[in-house]
Amino acid sequence: MRNPGYGYSRFCDRYRLWRGRLDVVLRQVYRAGEKAFVDYAGPKFAVVDGRTGEARDAVVFVGVLAASNYTYVDVTRSRSLPDWTASHVRMFEFFGGVPELVIPDNEKAGVRAASRYEPDLNPSYQELATHYGTTVLPARPRKPRDKAKVETAVQHVERWVMAPLRNQTFFSLGELRGAIAPLVAALNERPFQKTGGSRRGWFEDLDRPALKPLPARRYEYAQWRRARVNIDYHVQAGGRFYSVPHALARREVDVRIAAATVEIFHRHRRVAVHLRARRKGAYTTDRAHMPAAHRAHAEWSPSRLIAWGRGVGPDTAAFVKRLLESRPHPEQGYRSCLGLMRLARAYPAERMEAACRRALDIGALGYGSVKSILASGLDRAGDDEAHSPSLPAEHAHIRGPDYYAAARNGTSPNRKES
């Protein structure tokens, strides 16, 4: 007898029954102090500016310890990286310790590129984890069961913390946090319906003894940037410019921008550190980063150049001083002084002194004049002025006063009496 088979609706019913048996769930067992889950709640609070009356959103950050379900709630202005890391810092301090793993959703502030296998963390977020001795392990994309703990915690926060405050007006984040704190404490004191005890009781018994201790120093937020060194061996960071060793010109470096300092790394090795400049467009330069020629040029000043001239002699010092004073800006005379230094290496000090003295006498205030005097040997002529020989008082081609007097008297000036 031929099997008539199933009708379409009967087939679908049996297929759904079979399919349902395939989708089994692994029950997670959480060790004390092992994991903390973090995420943002969907609803937001409104914080009103008391001066303008403008209402701005405040987002709600939720963290929960896996073993005890002990819950932390924070509010911030945004979901940006600084607020994201600051909420983690306050969460660790609220717990009084650090778990082994922090499991976030693939929040853009903390995870640059989501991946099932190798998620790419933001360097600042990774630095926070390193500072506190924990590990960040983002949940798999589109796998809410990986973070079921925090999903449930967010629901409890929305019900027991956010809902009671929905009709209140807040004028600052501090005021809002002050209103949230007792409600979070009450949530952690609420007894569990099925297992007995409370979040706080389980936290004291399980998680608190197992958490890692907080570091002695609180994490300081810093931004990381990838930059290329300019040809002037400076790196742009936050609209300011900071020097690195000149050998790194045109190389790529990592820049860490903290509240007070700027650190620059090349191949994971710190090559420069500067105090953070406050003025936009400012240049901060470490002289040790300069090439020798640049450093020598930068170290010259009028007083130092005059002191060098004094080492040769007083006339050279006087010449350098007059040369710098004759320029609209002293730096315009620096190159002339560098030329004088080269001449001083080629000629003895007494000849330099004589050449500078002669240049001062004739008012020739320039490197070229001193060089010409030395090259032509005029510095050896002595200090006395050279006198040309005197002409005879009488000469056939010289007309004296007698000539014109005779002309006025009508006497021939060319005739001489015998």
Side-chain angles (χ1 to χ4, degrees):
M1 181 177 179
R2 189 173 61 87
N3 187 352
Y6 296 112
Y8 178 74
S9 60
R10 177 62 176 163
F11 173 80
C12 290
D13 290 340
R14 292 185 66 86
Y15 177 79
R16 280 193 293 270
L17 181 63
W18 173 80
R19 176 76 178 175
R21 292 175 184 151
L22 297 179
D23 191 16
V24 295
V25 177
L26 174 66
R27 177 168 292 279
Q28 298 285 344
V29 178
Y30 299 109
R31 292 190 294 106
E34 181 187 21
K35 294 179 181 179
F37 294 84
V38 296
D39 200 1
Y40 283 110
K44 303 175 183 178
F45 284 105
V47 178
V48 179
D49 190 325
R51 294 176 300 175
T52 64
E54 178 185 4
R56 296 181 56 188
D57 288 337
V59 297
V60 180
F61 174 92
V62 179
V64 58
L65 288 170
S68 64
N69 294 312
Y70 193 61
T71 303
Y72 169 75
V73 181
D74 189 23
V75 286
T76 57
R77 286 290 187 190
S78 69
R79 297 168 69 152
S80 64
L81 181 60
D83 286 334
W84 172 255
T85 54
S87 291
H88 280 70
V89 171
R90 288 190 285 266
M91 178 184 71
F92 294 146
E93 292 173 350
F94 177 81
F95 292 156
V98 183
E100 295 177 16
L101 289 172
V102 176
I103 302 177
D105 195 1
N106 288 278
E107 183 66 30
K108 289 183 178 180
V111 183
R112 293 195 300 192
S115 171
R116 181 184 180 93
Y117 304 106
E118 292 184 347
D120 183 17
L121 299 183
N122 186 291
S124 298
Y125 194 26
Q126 180 60 59
E127 185 181 34
L128 177 140
T130 302
H131 180 82
Y132 284 99
T134 188
T135 301
V136 175
L137 184 64
R140 293 175 296 171
R142 296 178 295 279
K143 296 292 182 180
R145 286 177 181 172
D146 285 4
K147 53 186 180 66
K149 279 283 184 178
V150 74
E151 296 285 350
T152 303
V154 166
Q155 293 177 3
H156 291 155
V157 168
E158 292 175 359
R159 181 180 302 165
W160 300 108
V161 177
M162 300 183 70
L165 302 175
R166 63 184 179 275
N167 295 324
Q168 295 187 32
T169 302
F170 301 97
F171 297 95
S172 69
L173 286 179
E175 182 183 356
L176 178 55
R177 287 175 180 144
I180 285 175
L183 295 176
V184 174
L187 171 64
N188 286 323
E189 295 288 353
R190 288 180 63 85
F192 293 122
Q193 293 182 350
K194 298 181 179 179
T195 57
S198 66
R199 291 172 176 81
R200 175 170 289 279
W202 284 27
F203 169 72
E204 297 293 344
D205 293 339
L206 298 175
D207 279 323
R208 183 187 284 277
L211 292 175
K212 297 179 181 180
L214 291 170
R217 181 174 56 87
R218 197 183 200 200
Y219 169 73
E220 178 188 19
Y221 171 74
Q223 290 180 310
W224 285 84
R225 294 284 186 269
R226 190 77 172 160
R228 185 176 292 277
V229 181
N230 295 327
I231 193 172
D232 63 354
Y233 48 90
H234 282 71
V235 172
Q236 182 177 359
R240 287 83 174 168
F241 299 87
Y242 304 91
S243 68
V244 299
H246 65 90
L248 296 177
R250 301 186 184 278
R251 301 285 185 89
E252 284 195 345
V253 293
D254 294 304
V255 184
R256 182 181 184 270
I257 309 172
T261 59
V262 173
E263 298 173 89
I264 304 167
F265 296 81
H266 180 250
R267 295 182 179 177
H268 308 292
R269 183 176 66 88
R270 191 172 74 175
V271 295
V273 59
H274 300 276
L275 291 176
R276 189 170 179 179
R278 298 303 174 190
R279 182 174 58 83
K280 197 83 168 179
Y283 277 79
T284 303
T285 305
D286 186 343
R287 293 187 185 276
H289 296 159
M290 294 177 159
H294 293 192
R295 186 163 56 247
H297 176 79
E299 290 173 352
W300 289 119
S301 65
S303 59
R304 186 177 178 193
L305 290 168
I306 294 171
W308 168 83
R310 196 174 296 116
V312 178
D315 290 314
T316 304
F319 181 84
V320 171
K321 185 174 184 296
R322 289 276 304 278
L323 185 150
L324 295 174
E325 291 174 348
S326 68
R327 303 297 195 266
H329 191 281
E331 194 166 339
Q332 290 178 316
Y334 285 6
R335 291 187 180 180
S336 297
C337 294
L338 293 176
L340 292 177
M341 293 179 183
R342 174 168 290 188
L343 291 175
R345 291 196 292 269
Y347 295 93
E350 58 271 13
R351 290 199 63 186
M352 281 293 298
E353 279 285 278
C356 288
R357 182 165 57 250
R358 189 175 187 87
L360 283 171
D361 290 341
I362 63 176
L365 302 176
Y367 156 74
S369 300
V370 177
K371 179 181 179 182
S372 177
I373 291 171
L374 290 167
S376 60
L378 292 177
D379 56 294
R380 295 170 172 162
D383 296 332
D384 295 334
E385 290 291 332
H387 298 286
S388 55
S390 57
L391 297 175
E394 293 186 3
H395 191 273
H397 300 291
I398 296 178
R399 296 176 179 178
D402 295 339
Y403 174 86
Y404 296 99
R408 285 195 300 270
N409 296 331
T411 307
S412 173
N414 292 327
R415 185 173 48 192
K416 293 184 179 181
E417 298 180 358
S418 58

